[in-house]
Amino acid sequence: MILPIVGYGHPTLRKVASPISKDYPDLHTLVANMYETMYAADGVGLAAPQIDLSIRVVVIGFRPYDEKTDTYGEITEQHTLINPEILEFQGDKKYFNEGCLSVPDIHEDVLRPERVVVHYWDEDWNEHTDHADGLYARVVQHEIDHLDGKVFTDRLSNLRKTMLRRRLNDIAAGKVPTRYRMKVCSNKR
């Protein structure tokens, strides 16, 4: 089932998400719905707070994109991270242009370490420690930020945030069209 994605300004995006236990109800269904939602929105990562659940669950998946045909190929890599924790940041910090399904139509260069060591459980409660690099490391850091109540725009300079303020306010007000369903905060901030 494709779920609505909460937009910038929604209070769930600012909460620190809670860990879940092995007996979390319908976990496999939730994870399947998160993957379906992420792929339908052409994303590479989705954190539970982005679907209005303040729990520590993340899905990450990569599909090759063909610019000539404007289509995506078959899934090449998927990761379900439950209660993830970054144990170590490694390598140099590099800028990379990031976007976010909760912050549509805004893409900015964000400085992050190029590698991380991340500890987590998968949906079958197998424990993992990954040495992530490249795009996987970038997406892990971005999605764990969501679990900690942060969005990528928090990592921008004050000047850049000021320049984006009007566009961010439009997203919070639901004034930005998307190809996927968005859930915006009904309260004024």
Side-chain angles (χ1 to χ4, degrees):
M1 173 190 334
I2 297 174
L3 305 167
I5 295 171
V6 300
Y8 180 87
H10 194 283
T12 304
L13 291 177
R14 293 302 182 180
K15 293 179 185 172
V16 175
S18 300
I20 65 168
S21 61
K22 194 174 185 174
D23 59 351
Y24 188 84
D26 298 319
L27 179 62
H28 282 88
T29 301
L30 170 64
V31 168
N33 290 343
M34 287 178 69
Y35 277 114
E36 186 176 0
T37 301
M38 177 186 72
Y39 289 131
D42 294 332
V44 295
L46 186 69
Q50 292 180 274
I51 56 164
D52 205 11
L53 288 175
S54 193
I55 58 173
R56 298 188 79 79
V57 177
V58 166
V59 296
I60 297 172
F62 302 109
R63 300 179 301 168
Y65 176 71
D66 184 338
E67 289 185 23
K68 291 179 183 174
T69 62
D70 192 30
T71 59
Y72 287 92
E74 294 299 312
I75 298 164
T76 58
E77 186 177 342
Q78 280 193 162
H79 305 272
T80 302
L81 287 66
I82 298 173
N83 302 331
E85 176 186 7
I86 295 176
L87 302 177
E88 186 178 344
F89 296 96
Q90 299 175 335
D92 296 330
K93 288 187 175 184
K94 304 256 178 169
Y95 282 99
F96 186 83
N97 196 259
E98 292 187 24
C100 180
L101 297 175
S102 293
V103 189
D105 296 331
I106 294 179
H107 294 84
E108 294 290 328
D109 290 335
V110 177
L111 186 65
R112 296 186 191 269
E114 58 188 345
R115 292 186 303 277
V116 295
V117 178
V118 60
H119 177 263
Y120 63 94
W121 285 263
D122 64 26
E123 66 268 30
D124 296 318
W125 287 96
N126 298 308
E127 190 172 9
H128 299 266
T129 300
D130 286 353
H131 294 261
D133 62 2
L135 184 58
Y136 179 42
R138 173 71 53 169
V139 177
V140 164
Q141 292 173 77
H142 178 109
E143 300 307 330
I144 290 177
D145 272 357
H146 279 302
L147 303 181
D148 294 335
K150 298 175 188 162
V151 293
F152 82 96
T153 55
D154 296 341
R155 296 191 173 275
L156 303 177
S157 71
N158 287 335
L159 174 62
R160 194 67 197 135
K161 285 188 266 193
T162 299
M163 293 172 68
L164 291 171
R165 183 174 296 135
R166 182 177 179 167
R167 290 173 65 196
L168 292 170
N169 288 339
D170 285 348
I171 294 167
K175 295 179 182 176
V176 176
T178 60
R179 293 186 5 241
Y180 47 90
R181 285 189 308 151
M182 293 272 314
K183 182 177 184 179
V184 295
C185 181
S186 58
N187 300 348
K188 289 277 184 190
R189 297 181 350 146

